[in-house]
């Protein structure tokens, strides 16, 4: 009898966490490393949010919370969806988890049976297919390309749907590509989904507030109200509010699904940290002006990185609509050799050799299901980004 569960054979470690850890180890060993792997804002959590947490501690808000979240936070979530997304959810249709990952995992755990398929567009956030596999489902991948901005088309969605399809996972803006769907693009996908009533939509809107230029964010249940009863709309405070370590994600959806997720969470972790929940109440209800300030900084960083990468030999980098990632292609470098004679056979070797030669840590694109590409997080200072891109230019120029 094997000791470890068979389910573990179906999943892989997180490549993004692995790259971040590798960069940390090299730094601790004295190497000059610039880590561009972590999807984490370099801004501090705003003071009003931190103060709300401190006041919660002083009030003694330190007891077990309700499994689905404290009432003020669930009310704030419902108000946020009405105010920003034109979605009318009652507080009891919301749920709070320990980060967005728990929300996603519990949704899959509550709904997937062996053989159920979940459509995941490539490139994807590394955890989506692993969560599906752990919960007994089957990841079914829908193709995108750099030519269509890494966005799922209606035709590709139609092709991916089968009689076993239970969920479509949407992520806009996207991790890793930064691609964001316009209202017209969501409308086209919704038209396909309306023809397949067995397919639910899990929309991951974690980067909602990080879109650039004149792009207008929309979420799919807002665009097509007839999908409201089979959509779980997930979000959180991690990215826009610089609260990654507070570990608060949330979602809203049909009551039957929320109750099922509540039951799983009740046997799993119970409620999320009360102090973090009270901080999140202030995040959602308090001043929002800093979001625009931070967004302008991210946009300038995006423009810097896109410009410098497109000046690197063999690199092609589209300009994304949102999030804080770029997903450039290194296809023109495949087959070239390093100074030591190592052949760049794929994007994983490219990323490994870049780290070894220049001390720049990026995540190889195959980990996200689509290569030869690599992901850079530009959630760090202009100085480090400029230096990192200079090193990438130097590395690509050195390949023969």
């Amino acid at each position: 009898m094997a000791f470890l569960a068979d389910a573990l054979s179906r999943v892989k470690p997180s490549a993004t966490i692995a790259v971040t850890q590798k960069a940390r180890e090299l730094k601790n060993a004295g190497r000059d490393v610039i880590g561009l792997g972590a999807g984490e804002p370099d801004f501090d959590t705003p003071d009003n949010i931190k103060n709300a947490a401190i006041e919660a501690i002083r009030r003694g808000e330190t007891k077990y919370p309700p499994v689905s979240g404290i009432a003020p936070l669930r009310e704030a979530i419902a108000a946020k969806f009405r105010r920003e997304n034109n979605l009318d959810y009652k507080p009891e249709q919301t749920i709070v988890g320990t980060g967005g990952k728990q929300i996603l995992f519990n949704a899959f755990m509550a709904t997937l049976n062996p053989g159920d398929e979940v459509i995941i567009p490539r490139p994807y956030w590394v955890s989506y297919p692993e969560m599906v596999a752990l919960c007994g489902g089957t990841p079914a991948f829908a193709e995108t390309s750099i030519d269509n901005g890494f966005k799922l088309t209606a035709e590709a969605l139609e092709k991916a749907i089968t009689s076993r399809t239970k969920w479509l996972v949407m992520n806009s803006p996207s991790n890793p590509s930064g691609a964001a769907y316009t209202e017209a693009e969501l409308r086209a996908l919704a038209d396909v989904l309306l023809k397949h009533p067995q397919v639910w939509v899990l929309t991951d809107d974690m980067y909602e507030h990080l879109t650039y230029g004149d792009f207008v964010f929309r979420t799919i249940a807002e665009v097509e109200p007839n999908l409201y009863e089979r959509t779980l709309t997930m979000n959180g405070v991690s990215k826009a509010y610089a609260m990654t370590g507070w570990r608060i994600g949330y979602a809203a959806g049909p009551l039957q699904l929320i109750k099922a997720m509540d039951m799983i969470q009740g046997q799993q972790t119970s409620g999320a940290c009360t102090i973090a929940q009270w901080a999140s109440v202030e995040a959602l209800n308090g001043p929002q002006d800093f979001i625009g300030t931070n967004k302008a900084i991210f946009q300038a960083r995006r423009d810097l990185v896109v410009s410098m990468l497109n000046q690197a030999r063999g690199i092609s980098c589209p300009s994304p609509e949102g999030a804080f990632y770029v997903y450039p292609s290194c296809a023109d470098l495949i087959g070239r050799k390093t100074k030591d004679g190592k052949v760049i056979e794929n994007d994983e070797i490219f990323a490994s050799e870049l780290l070894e030669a220049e001390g720049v840590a990026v995540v190889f694109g195959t980990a996200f299901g689509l290569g030869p590409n690599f992901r850079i997080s530009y959630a760090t200072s202009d100085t480090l980004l400029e230096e990192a891109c200079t090193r990438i230019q130097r590395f690509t120029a050195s390949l023969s």
Side-chain angles (χ1 to χ4, degrees), residues 157 168 189-197 199 201 220 227 230:
L157 174 59
L168 163 67
L189 296 175
D191 288 343
V192 174
L193 292 166
L194 291 174
K195 296 187 291 183
H196 300 277
V199 182
V201 185
I220 195 162
L227 293 176
R230 50 187 171 112

Side-chain angles (χ1 to χ4, degrees), residues 143-157:
E143 305 304 326
T144 74
S145 74
I146 195 170
D147 296 329
N148 63 15
F150 301 113
K151 297 181 189 181
L152 179 66
T153 64
E155 294 75 19
L157 174 59

Side-chain angles (χ1 to χ4, degrees), residues 25 68 166-167 338 399:
E25 291 170 357
S68 288
K166 181 164 281 185
W167 285 100
T338 67
L399 299 176

Side-chain angles (χ1 to χ4, degrees), residues 39 51 54 64 67 69 77 169 177 190 202 207-208 224 238 266 283 317 340 352 375:
N51 289 335
I54 293 168
Y64 287 131
V67 171
I77 291 165
V169 175
S177 71
L202 201 167
Y207 297 90
E208 169 187 2
E224 179 44 78
S238 295
C317 184
D340 297 332
S352 176
R375 191 195 77 171

Side-chain angles (χ1 to χ4, degrees), residues 360-376:
V360 177
V362 302
V363 187
F364 61 95
T366 307
F368 302 101
L370 184 66
N373 295 75
F374 59 99
R375 191 195 77 171
I376 282 178

Side-chain angles (χ1 to χ4, degrees), residues 17-41:
I17 292 175
V19 167
T20 302
Q21 180 60 27
K22 177 68 173 178
R24 187 179 294 120
E25 291 170 357
L26 289 173
K27 281 184 179 180
N28 291 340
R31 283 286 305 275
D32 176 18
V33 174
I34 301 175
L36 302 179
E40 181 171 52

Side-chain angles (χ1 to χ4, degrees), residues 2-233:
F3 177 66
L4 296 179
D6 292 344
L8 291 181
S9 67
R10 301 196 293 267
V11 301
K12 303 183 294 294
S14 167
T16 54
I17 292 175
V19 167
T20 302
Q21 180 60 27
K22 177 68 173 178
R24 187 179 294 120
E25 291 170 357
L26 289 173
K27 281 184 179 180
N28 291 340
R31 283 286 305 275
D32 176 18
V33 174
I34 301 175
L36 302 179
E40 181 171 52
D42 58 324
F43 307 125
D44 194 14
T45 303
D47 285 342
N48 64 304
I49 297 173
K50 291 191 286 187
N51 289 335
I54 293 168
E55 288 304 313
I57 293 172
R58 288 176 173 154
R59 289 198 310 272
E61 305 281 4
T62 56
K63 306 300 183 183
Y64 287 131
V67 171
S68 288
I70 60 174
L73 181 52
R74 298 178 80 185
E75 291 164 1
I77 291 165
K80 174 261 186 270
F81 280 124
R82 282 193 299 272
R83 179 178 69 245
E84 297 182 350
N85 308 114
N86 301 306
L87 292 173
D88 188 14
Y89 290 111
K90 296 180 175 64
E92 57 265 33
Q93 289 179 270
T94 69
I95 188 167
V96 179
T98 306
K101 275 187 173 179
Q102 186 177 30
I103 297 292
L104 297 165
F105 192 95
N106 287 352
F108 290 140
M109 181 65 72
T111 57
L112 292 179
N113 293 309
D116 288 347
E117 295 175 355
V118 177
I119 296 174
I120 303 171
R122 304 181 199 260
Y124 47 72
W125 180 46
V126 293
S127 293
Y128 293 144
E130 311 309 323
M131 288 180 180
V132 170
L134 273 173
C135 293
T138 302
F141 301 108
E143 305 304 326
T144 74
S145 74
I146 195 170
D147 296 329
N148 63 15
F150 301 113
K151 297 181 189 181
L152 179 66
T153 64
E155 294 75 19
L157 174 59
E158 185 71 65
K159 183 178 179 181
I161 292 174
T162 73
S163 61
R164 299 294 300 175
T165 304
K166 181 164 281 185
W167 285 100
L168 163 67
V169 175
M170 295 287 297
N171 180 207
S172 174
S174 161
N175 175 6
S177 71
Y181 291 81
T182 65
E183 183 170 357
E185 289 164 341
L186 290 174
R187 174 76 267 160
L189 296 175
D191 288 343
V192 174
L193 292 166
L194 291 174
K195 296 187 291 183
H196 300 277
Q198 87 279 12
V199 182
W200 283 54
V201 185
L202 201 167
T203 179
D204 178 349
D205 297 348
M206 189 65 75
Y207 297 90
E208 169 187 2
H209 291 296
L210 299 178
T211 60
Y212 307 119
D214 58 0
F215 186 90
V216 178
F217 176 84
R218 293 284 186 266
T219 194
I220 195 162
E222 175 187 17
V223 171
E224 179 44 78
N226 287 319
L227 293 176
Y228 174 92
E229 290 295 338
R230 50 187 171 112
T231 298
L232 183 70
T233 304

